[in-house]
Amino acid sequence: MRRTSPPAHTASPTTPRARPRASLVLLLGPAFVAAVAYVDPGNVAANLTAGAQYGYLLVWVLVAANLIAVLVQYLSAKLGLVSGRSLPALLGDRLGRKSRLAYWGQAEIVAVATDLAEVVGGAIALKILFDVPLLLGGVIVGVVSLVLLSIQSTRGQRPFEFVIIGFLAIIAIGFLAGLVVGDVDWGQAAGGLVPQLEGTNSLVLAASMLGATVMPHAIYLHSALAVDRHGTVPRAEIPRLLRANRWDVALSLVVAGSVNIAMLLLAAAALRGESGTDTIEGAHAVVTANLGEVVGLLFGIGLLASGLASSAVGSYAGASIMQGLLRIDVPIVWQRAVTMLPALAVLAIGVDPTWALVLSQVVLSLGIPFAMVPLVRLTRMRTVMGEFVNGRAITVAALAAASLIIVLNVVLIALLVAGIE
């Protein structure tokens, strides 16, 4: 392995690297890597729980979250393309030492919550498919994620993107298959597009689904992916790359959004009213019993692919965050160990893995404003973006999305503290 962390974002803006003019199709890829974060095992737990408990009630949450994600991921990639720096690196430049450490601390909590979902989810999949003990399964997921990251280190960014896109395709097949034979009530599904909640628990699940869809580490990551793929971009090429980036984000999140909605619809159709569906293993058993062995197998394979791919992508994000905020290069294996140990502890002490996944997504939801607010601020600063600064409409939309998330989080915390049922 020639490199153990993502490449440093230090190219000089006065010496852009020469490159042949690639077609728009060949410029796609970074957003598909970031999109894996939107279909990780935390999404599986949150979406299956929501569908099993509330049927089609929370479909609107996934639709709204995906629309927000399109805007957020576009702005993150745009920031990287135009500035030549990742979001964490730009924050590191603007914060004092104590502020950088504090900011990294909350980002590291987000990374731990992310890794908990991915490692635990992958371990559950290995137990479902091969009856591997959960703790051993968690270790296997961690090791395989390092192998996947070695592709980026030894072969470069493009091969890594191809591998992750392959995993994304497996995830999509695994979770969309159930809709082919499932008995979805499309009328009720359409009714779920109307915003509504039923008590505190539905709000907790809504926050969990939001945190699982608009993930903080994906916001930090996409800017780094853009820099690592394109380096410092000549100003004349930026409009073309931004156009390609819009297609990249839209296509990748159509895939991720479809998978998320499919999970909820599958749960609403096959799991509602069934006993034993409060865990992923139980949900898998009911899906297999109701929809057949093939669908159950594809479900397990999709969950495993989700855990492995998202774990690798999460480690990539963690290294980029640490590099940008702490200004140090930490080998991926150490970054991986720091964020993986809490997940292994959860598996070792026997905490309900499915509920741990759902709660991890609530933590991620609480971390979204810390990534989103600086992103909106930086992309509307002419000193950073030049002529590519955000227009008024995009700024208003982004601020509205950030405000919605913050308000939801404040309400969530108030309800949980007050213990309102």
Side-chain angles (χ1 to χ4, degrees), residues 306-329:
S306 169
L308 294 175
S310 60
S311 186
V313 171
S315 293
Y316 192 120
S320 297
I321 291 168
M322 183 174 289
Q323 184 183 66
L325 289 172
L326 298 188
R327 298 175 181 172
I328 57 175
D329 287 331

PDB file of all heavy atoms in Angstrom, residues 306-329:
ATOM      1  N   SER A 306     -24.075  -3.392   1.893  1.00  0.00           N
ATOM      2  CA  SER A 306     -24.265  -2.081   2.506  1.00  0.00           C
ATOM      3  C   SER A 306     -23.250  -1.863   3.628  1.00  0.00           C
ATOM      4  O   SER A 306     -22.603  -0.803   3.710  1.00  0.00           O
ATOM      5  CB  SER A 306     -25.691  -1.975   3.044  1.00  0.00           C
ATOM      6  OG  SER A 306     -25.852  -0.838   3.857  1.00  0.00           O
ATOM      7  N   GLY A 307     -23.090  -2.860   4.505  1.00  0.00           N
ATOM      8  CA  GLY A 307     -22.164  -2.721   5.613  1.00  0.00           C
ATOM      9  C   GLY A 307     -20.719  -2.590   5.164  1.00  0.00           C
ATOM     10  O   GLY A 307     -19.967  -1.741   5.662  1.00  0.00           O
ATOM     11  N   LEU A 308     -20.321  -3.415   4.206  1.00  0.00           N
ATOM     12  CA  LEU A 308     -18.925  -3.403   3.750  1.00  0.00           C
ATOM     13  C   LEU A 308     -18.579  -2.108   3.020  1.00  0.00           C
ATOM     14  O   LEU A 308     -17.558  -1.467   3.309  1.00  0.00           O
ATOM     15  CB  LEU A 308     -18.674  -4.603   2.829  1.00  0.00           C
ATOM     16  CG  LEU A 308     -18.768  -5.991   3.478  1.00  0.00           C
ATOM     17  CD1 LEU A 308     -18.614  -7.080   2.432  1.00  0.00           C
ATOM     18  CD2 LEU A 308     -17.725  -6.150   4.575  1.00  0.00           C
ATOM     19  N   ALA A 309     -19.419  -1.719   2.065  1.00  0.00           N
ATOM     20  CA  ALA A 309     -19.113  -0.528   1.267  1.00  0.00           C
ATOM     21  C   ALA A 309     -19.180   0.736   2.112  1.00  0.00           C
ATOM     22  O   ALA A 309     -18.293   1.605   2.033  1.00  0.00           O
ATOM     23  CB  ALA A 309     -20.078  -0.428   0.090  1.00  0.00           C
ATOM     24  N   SER A 310     -20.240   0.866   2.922  1.00  0.00           N
ATOM     25  CA  SER A 310     -20.383   2.086   3.717  1.00  0.00           C
ATOM     26  C   SER A 310     -19.311   2.183   4.788  1.00  0.00           C
ATOM     27  O   SER A 310     -18.899   3.287   5.171  1.00  0.00           O
ATOM     28  CB  SER A 310     -21.776   2.146   4.351  1.00  0.00           C
ATOM     29  OG  SER A 310     -22.005   1.046   5.197  1.00  0.00           O
ATOM     30  N   SER A 311     -18.821   1.047   5.274  1.00  0.00           N
ATOM     31  CA  SER A 311     -17.745   1.081   6.261  1.00  0.00           C
ATOM     32  C   SER A 311     -16.464   1.637   5.650  1.00  0.00           C
ATOM     33  O   SER A 311     -15.766   2.453   6.268  1.00  0.00           O
ATOM     34  CB  SER A 311     -17.502  -0.328   6.801  1.00  0.00           C
ATOM     35  OG  SER A 311     -16.574  -0.313   7.855  1.00  0.00           O
ATOM     36  N   ALA A 312     -16.162   1.224   4.426  1.00  0.00           N
ATOM     37  CA  ALA A 312     -14.977   1.745   3.740  1.00  0.00           C
ATOM     38  C   ALA A 312     -15.118   3.235   3.459  1.00  0.00           C
ATOM     39  O   ALA A 312     -14.192   4.031   3.693  1.00  0.00           O
ATOM     40  CB  ALA A 312     -14.744   0.978   2.442  1.00  0.00           C
ATOM     41  N   VAL A 313     -16.283   3.626   2.982  1.00  0.00           N
ATOM     42  CA  VAL A 313     -16.521   5.037   2.673  1.00  0.00           C
ATOM     43  C   VAL A 313     -16.493   5.881   3.949  1.00  0.00           C
ATOM     44  O   VAL A 313     -15.962   6.995   3.968  1.00  0.00           O
ATOM     45  CB  VAL A 313     -17.867   5.198   1.935  1.00  0.00           C
ATOM     46  CG1 VAL A 313     -18.245   6.674   1.805  1.00  0.00           C
ATOM     47  CG2 VAL A 313     -17.788   4.556   0.556  1.00  0.00           C
ATOM     48  N   GLY A 314     -17.048   5.340   5.037  1.00  0.00           N
ATOM     49  CA  GLY A 314     -17.019   6.064   6.306  1.00  0.00           C
ATOM     50  C   GLY A 314     -15.608   6.284   6.823  1.00  0.00           C
ATOM     51  O   GLY A 314     -15.288   7.346   7.362  1.00  0.00           O
ATOM     52  N   SER A 315     -14.746   5.280   6.657  1.00  0.00           N
ATOM     53  CA  SER A 315     -13.353   5.437   7.078  1.00  0.00           C
ATOM     54  C   SER A 315     -12.630   6.483   6.238  1.00  0.00           C
ATOM     55  O   SER A 315     -11.806   7.258   6.740  1.00  0.00           O
ATOM     56  CB  SER A 315     -12.622   4.091   6.966  1.00  0.00           C
ATOM     57  OG  SER A 315     -13.138   3.170   7.891  1.00  0.00           O
ATOM     58  N   TYR A 316     -12.938   6.507   4.954  1.00  0.00           N
ATOM     59  CA  TYR A 316     -12.384   7.522   4.053  1.00  0.00           C
ATOM     60  C   TYR A 316     -12.783   8.912   4.552  1.00  0.00           C
ATOM     61  O   TYR A 316     -11.952   9.834   4.636  1.00  0.00           O
ATOM     62  CB  TYR A 316     -12.923   7.269   2.643  1.00  0.00           C
ATOM     63  CG  TYR A 316     -12.249   8.028   1.530  1.00  0.00           C
ATOM     64  CD1 TYR A 316     -11.618   7.356   0.488  1.00  0.00           C
ATOM     65  CD2 TYR A 316     -12.276   9.420   1.484  1.00  0.00           C
ATOM     66  CE1 TYR A 316     -11.017   8.036  -0.548  1.00  0.00           C
ATOM     67  CE2 TYR A 316     -11.675  10.113   0.457  1.00  0.00           C
ATOM     68  CZ  TYR A 316     -11.059   9.419  -0.571  1.00  0.00           C
ATOM     69  OH  TYR A 316     -10.472  10.106  -1.597  1.00  0.00           O
ATOM     70  N   ALA A 317     -14.065   9.062   4.901  1.00  0.00           N
ATOM     71  CA  ALA A 317     -14.548  10.355   5.395  1.00  0.00           C
ATOM     72  C   ALA A 317     -13.851  10.732   6.691  1.00  0.00           C
ATOM     73  O   ALA A 317     -13.444  11.882   6.882  1.00  0.00           O
ATOM     74  CB  ALA A 317     -16.065  10.292   5.602  1.00  0.00           C
ATOM     75  N   GLY A 318     -13.712   9.755   7.612  1.00  0.00           N
ATOM     76  CA  GLY A 318     -13.068  10.041   8.887  1.00  0.00           C
ATOM     77  C   GLY A 318     -11.636  10.522   8.725  1.00  0.00           C
ATOM     78  O   GLY A 318     -11.198  11.457   9.410  1.00  0.00           O
ATOM     79  N   ALA A 319     -10.902   9.891   7.798  1.00  0.00           N
ATOM     80  CA  ALA A 319      -9.520  10.307   7.563  1.00  0.00           C
ATOM     81  C   ALA A 319      -9.467  11.709   6.969  1.00  0.00           C
ATOM     82  O   ALA A 319      -8.600  12.522   7.321  1.00  0.00           O
ATOM     83  CB  ALA A 319      -8.829   9.305   6.641  1.00  0.00           C
ATOM     84  N   SER A 320     -10.408  12.020   6.063  1.00  0.00           N
ATOM     85  CA  SER A 320     -10.443  13.356   5.461  1.00  0.00           C
ATOM     86  C   SER A 320     -10.771  14.418   6.501  1.00  0.00           C
ATOM     87  O   SER A 320     -10.203  15.521   6.486  1.00  0.00           O
ATOM     88  CB  SER A 320     -11.481  13.394   4.336  1.00  0.00           C
ATOM     89  OG  SER A 320     -11.148  12.506   3.299  1.00  0.00           O
ATOM     90  N   ILE A 321     -11.697  14.105   7.412  1.00  0.00           N
ATOM     91  CA  ILE A 321     -12.057  15.052   8.471  1.00  0.00           C
ATOM     92  C   ILE A 321     -10.871  15.300   9.395  1.00  0.00           C
ATOM     93  O   ILE A 321     -10.552  16.446   9.732  1.00  0.00           O
ATOM     94  CB  ILE A 321     -13.258  14.509   9.270  1.00  0.00           C
ATOM     95  CG1 ILE A 321     -14.520  14.514   8.410  1.00  0.00           C
ATOM     96  CG2 ILE A 321     -13.484  15.324  10.543  1.00  0.00           C
ATOM     97  CD1 ILE A 321     -15.673  13.741   9.015  1.00  0.00           C
ATOM     98  N   MET A 322     -10.198  14.228   9.795  1.00  0.00           N
ATOM     99  CA  MET A 322      -9.049  14.370  10.685  1.00  0.00           C
ATOM    100  C   MET A 322      -7.926  15.145  10.002  1.00  0.00           C
ATOM    101  O   MET A 322      -7.297  16.029  10.607  1.00  0.00           O
ATOM    102  CB  MET A 322      -8.549  12.992  11.125  1.00  0.00           C
ATOM    103  CG  MET A 322      -7.397  13.035  12.117  1.00  0.00           C
ATOM    104  SD  MET A 322      -6.944  11.395  12.733  1.00  0.00           S
ATOM    105  CE  MET A 322      -8.353  11.025  13.772  1.00  0.00           C
ATOM    106  N   GLN A 323      -7.689  14.830   8.747  1.00  0.00           N
ATOM    107  CA  GLN A 323      -6.621  15.517   8.010  1.00  0.00           C
ATOM    108  C   GLN A 323      -6.906  17.006   7.880  1.00  0.00           C
ATOM    109  O   GLN A 323      -6.014  17.842   8.049  1.00  0.00           O
ATOM    110  CB  GLN A 323      -6.495  14.889   6.620  1.00  0.00           C
ATOM    111  CG  GLN A 323      -5.351  15.440   5.789  1.00  0.00           C
ATOM    112  CD  GLN A 323      -5.340  14.833   4.400  1.00  0.00           C
ATOM    113  OE1 GLN A 323      -6.250  15.059   3.607  1.00  0.00           O
ATOM    114  NE2 GLN A 323      -4.331  14.042   4.108  1.00  0.00           N
ATOM    115  N   GLY A 324      -8.173  17.357   7.596  1.00  0.00           N
ATOM    116  CA  GLY A 324      -8.505  18.761   7.387  1.00  0.00           C
ATOM    117  C   GLY A 324      -8.534  19.570   8.670  1.00  0.00           C
ATOM    118  O   GLY A 324      -8.050  20.700   8.704  1.00  0.00           O
ATOM    119  N   LEU A 325      -9.086  18.994   9.749  1.00  0.00           N
ATOM    120  CA  LEU A 325      -9.264  19.753  10.982  1.00  0.00           C
ATOM    121  C   LEU A 325      -8.049  19.709  11.897  1.00  0.00           C
ATOM    122  O   LEU A 325      -7.731  20.695  12.563  1.00  0.00           O
ATOM    123  CB  LEU A 325     -10.495  19.232  11.736  1.00  0.00           C
ATOM    124  CG  LEU A 325     -11.851  19.568  11.107  1.00  0.00           C
ATOM    125  CD1 LEU A 325     -12.970  18.845  11.829  1.00  0.00           C
ATOM    126  CD2 LEU A 325     -12.101  21.074  11.132  1.00  0.00           C
ATOM    127  N   LEU A 326      -7.379  18.564  11.963  1.00  0.00           N
ATOM    128  CA  LEU A 326      -6.209  18.444  12.830  1.00  0.00           C
ATOM    129  C   LEU A 326      -4.897  18.683  12.100  1.00  0.00           C
ATOM    130  O   LEU A 326      -3.844  18.797  12.722  1.00  0.00           O
ATOM    131  CB  LEU A 326      -6.188  17.053  13.480  1.00  0.00           C
ATOM    132  CG  LEU A 326      -7.365  16.701  14.386  1.00  0.00           C
ATOM    133  CD1 LEU A 326      -7.100  15.389  15.106  1.00  0.00           C
ATOM    134  CD2 LEU A 326      -7.652  17.815  15.391  1.00  0.00           C
ATOM    135  N   ARG A 327      -4.980  18.708  10.749  1.00  0.00           N
ATOM    136  CA  ARG A 327      -3.789  18.956   9.904  1.00  0.00           C
ATOM    137  C   ARG A 327      -2.715  17.907  10.120  1.00  0.00           C
ATOM    138  O   ARG A 327      -1.518  18.209  10.124  1.00  0.00           O
ATOM    139  CB  ARG A 327      -3.240  20.359  10.172  1.00  0.00           C
ATOM    140  CG  ARG A 327      -4.233  21.461   9.832  1.00  0.00           C
ATOM    141  CD  ARG A 327      -3.716  22.829  10.224  1.00  0.00           C
ATOM    142  NE  ARG A 327      -4.677  23.865   9.914  1.00  0.00           N
ATOM    143  CZ  ARG A 327      -4.554  25.146  10.282  1.00  0.00           C
ATOM    144  NH1 ARG A 327      -3.488  25.518  10.990  1.00  0.00           N
ATOM    145  NH2 ARG A 327      -5.463  26.023   9.965  1.00  0.00           N
ATOM    146  N   ILE A 328      -3.163  16.678  10.328  1.00  0.00           N
ATOM    147  CA  ILE A 328      -2.219  15.574  10.447  1.00  0.00           C
ATOM    148  C   ILE A 328      -2.723  14.411   9.602  1.00  0.00           C
ATOM    149  O   ILE A 328      -3.927  14.235   9.423  1.00  0.00           O
ATOM    150  CB  ILE A 328      -2.047  15.117  11.914  1.00  0.00           C
ATOM    151  CG1 ILE A 328      -3.396  14.719  12.527  1.00  0.00           C
ATOM    152  CG2 ILE A 328      -1.367  16.185  12.743  1.00  0.00           C
ATOM    153  CD1 ILE A 328      -3.289  14.139  13.923  1.00  0.00           C
ATOM    154  N   ASP A 329      -1.779  13.637   9.081  1.00  0.00           N
ATOM    155  CA  ASP A 329      -2.136  12.436   8.338  1.00  0.00           C
ATOM    156  C   ASP A 329      -2.048  11.243   9.287  1.00  0.00           C
ATOM    157  O   ASP A 329      -0.970  10.918   9.792  1.00  0.00           O
ATOM    158  CB  ASP A 329      -1.187  12.227   7.156  1.00  0.00           C
ATOM    159  CG  ASP A 329      -1.448  13.216   6.026  1.00  0.00           C
ATOM    160  OD1 ASP A 329      -2.607  13.644   5.901  1.00  0.00           O
ATOM    161  OD2 ASP A 329      -0.501  13.550   5.292  1.00  0.00           O
TER     162      ASP A 329
END
